[in-house]
Amino acid sequence: MDRIISIIAGVLLLCGTARAEVDLEIVWQKYVYPTRISHAKWSADGRYIYCAIGNTIQKMDASNGEWLAVFDNVDGQFIYEVNKMQISKSGNYIVADNGNGAALVYDTRTEKKIKQIQQGVSCVTITTDDKYILFGSGRPETKGIVLYNLSEDKIDKVLQFDKVDGISQISMSHDGRYFVTGSVYEDWKGWHSKLTLWDAQTFEQIDVLEDIGTGSSLVEYAILKLSKDGKYLAAITWNPYETRIFDLDTKKLILKDGAYFGFDFMPDSYYFVGFRGDPIEKNIVELNSLDRKIKNYIVQDGNPESFGNKDNWKVFFGKMDSIYLMVNKTVGVEEKPKQEATFNIITENGKVILKFEQPIIAGAAQVSIYDIVGKIVFSEAIEQIPADGLLRLKAVFGTGVYICKISINGQELSQKFQIVR
């Protein structure tokens, strides 16, 4: 299907902004067959990737793709599969449905399931303050969107709206302003697909973004993804697969594209990636912006999930066969030669300060401390090196020999140090 772009003011502004071209490159790749990953979500600090595999969740080290833990389902209640998984803004909770009418709630801190709510659940999300679980319910007494109070363990309210026979998808915006539902209903004209925008603070309906008559065919929403800044919504239907992107400020459709079986906005909200099958090129991932296609990548399989900020992206691709971690790189512009950074380690009473020498490095960093046998004892993602170049680690170390490793701006730095107390 040809790509269609609606020429509206918001898109024109984006198109008029000068941007360096971008590309993606693989950091690591692993063959995992016959493991099948149905959904994946990043931890809040970007250190881990939580993967829904069958009827449980497994925790992955994002730096190398190694499996670290399997979540405990605790009570042994039936779970057909962990389905339509989402993670809270804090990263403390993962919510999903069990493929058989129940909402699942996992605590990432204990790596255990803490609730299984049987209410005819079809899809589930969580508010950004971790207060409410929102799920679509098909039961007559709770038909609509259920607001389940997580701390008080009870239903506070049911949001009912006209013309709904089933809710297939629900998604919360990253900034907590909106949530979106994808539903279907049937009238004398046949089936309809309906996309509704809600206020996530008042739980009032804001607008119906689309209400499409599909006749005798039941066309459900398979994917709802909101951009990281909450400005754009991608809604993907199946049977047939079709992708539509809306500007939530104007409530208008700005882009219509073909069949994506996986989709995510990049952290800057201007670029996105879509996964699709191609009869000639097999499986491909497309890197696009809101106004043009940029590049294709041949992959084994992939449901993309991104993490980072506007300058630094990490994108995980994985479903079956192989899994990948890719990062962005800037191309087509003159790059300045890299200056090797150096740092010194200052220790005092078991505390560690990293002192960066000139040039002072700007940007995010990953700091890891290993003991003498190679076991990691501390790790922290740093959003910004302080202007004075002094980075104080939030830990106290015992007597011993350690190795400090730092990943920053494409450089890998390491240094051995000793604590004597």
Side-chain angles (χ1 to χ4, degrees), residues 120 205 220 263 324 339 346 354 374:
Q205 182 175 313
E220 291 187 307
F263 182 100
Y324 307 77
Q339 292 178 287
I346 304 168
L354 306 181

Side-chain angles (χ1 to χ4, degrees), residues 153-201:
D153 200 18
K154 67 181 182 71
I155 294 174
D156 275 3
K157 189 176 182 179
V158 178
L159 307 178
Q160 296 179 324
F161 52 107
D162 293 335
K163 298 180 181 179
V164 57
D165 289 323
I167 303 167
S168 61
Q169 294 289 336
I170 182 170
S171 187
M172 183 72 57
S173 69
H174 300 263
D175 59 8
R177 286 190 297 164
Y178 305 124
F179 69 93
V180 184
T181 55
S183 59
V184 296
Y185 70 91
E186 188 179 23
D187 62 13
W188 63 273
K189 295 180 180 179
W191 286 103
H192 296 253
S193 300
K194 184 178 178 182
L195 192 62
T196 308
L197 181 67
W198 301 78
D199 188 310
Q201 303 300 315

Side-chain angles (χ1 to χ4, degrees), residues 6 48 142 167 195 199 237 264 307 322:
S6 176
Y48 309 113
T142 55
I167 303 167
L195 192 62
D199 188 310
T237 55
D264 202 15
F307 176 83
S322 292

Side-chain angles (χ1 to χ4, degrees), residues 3 5 255 270-272 287-294:
R3 194 171 199 237
I5 299 175
L255 187 152
Y270 174 73
Y271 295 95
F272 62 87
L287 174 62
N288 298 336
S289 70
L290 288 172
D291 61 297
R292 68 194 186 282
K293 292 184 181 294
I294 296 172

Side-chain angles (χ1 to χ4, degrees), residues 66-85:
E66 295 295 322
W67 298 112
L68 299 176
V70 179
F71 279 35
D72 189 350
N73 283 326
V74 183
D75 52 25
Q77 286 182 272
F78 176 76
I79 299 175
Y80 176 71
E81 64 178 354
V82 177
N83 191 34
K84 301 176 184 176
M85 185 174 78

Side-chain angles (χ1 to χ4, degrees), residues 1-48:
M1 180 181 294
D2 291 337
R3 194 171 199 237
I4 302 170
I5 299 175
S6 176
I7 305 300
I8 63 172
V11 177
L12 286 172
L13 286 172
L14 285 169
C15 295
T17 302
R19 292 175 181 268
E21 196 60 278
V22 298
D23 198 356
L24 294 173
E25 60 184 358
I26 294 176
V27 176
W28 55 257
Q29 175 182 351
K30 295 191 70 175
Y31 185 68
V32 295
Y33 180 85
T35 299
R36 180 182 181 275
I37 300 171
S38 57
H39 301 272
K41 296 294 176 184
W42 286 85
S43 64
D45 59 8
R47 293 172 58 192
Y48 309 113

Side-chain angles (χ1 to χ4, degrees), residues 89-112:
K89 184 177 181 179
S90 68
N92 292 335
Y93 299 103
I94 291 173
V95 295
D97 72 68
N98 76 337
N100 195 43
L104 307 172
V105 186
Y106 293 87
D107 191 318
T108 61
R109 296 160 295 186
T110 61
E111 299 176 357
K112 293 181 179 180

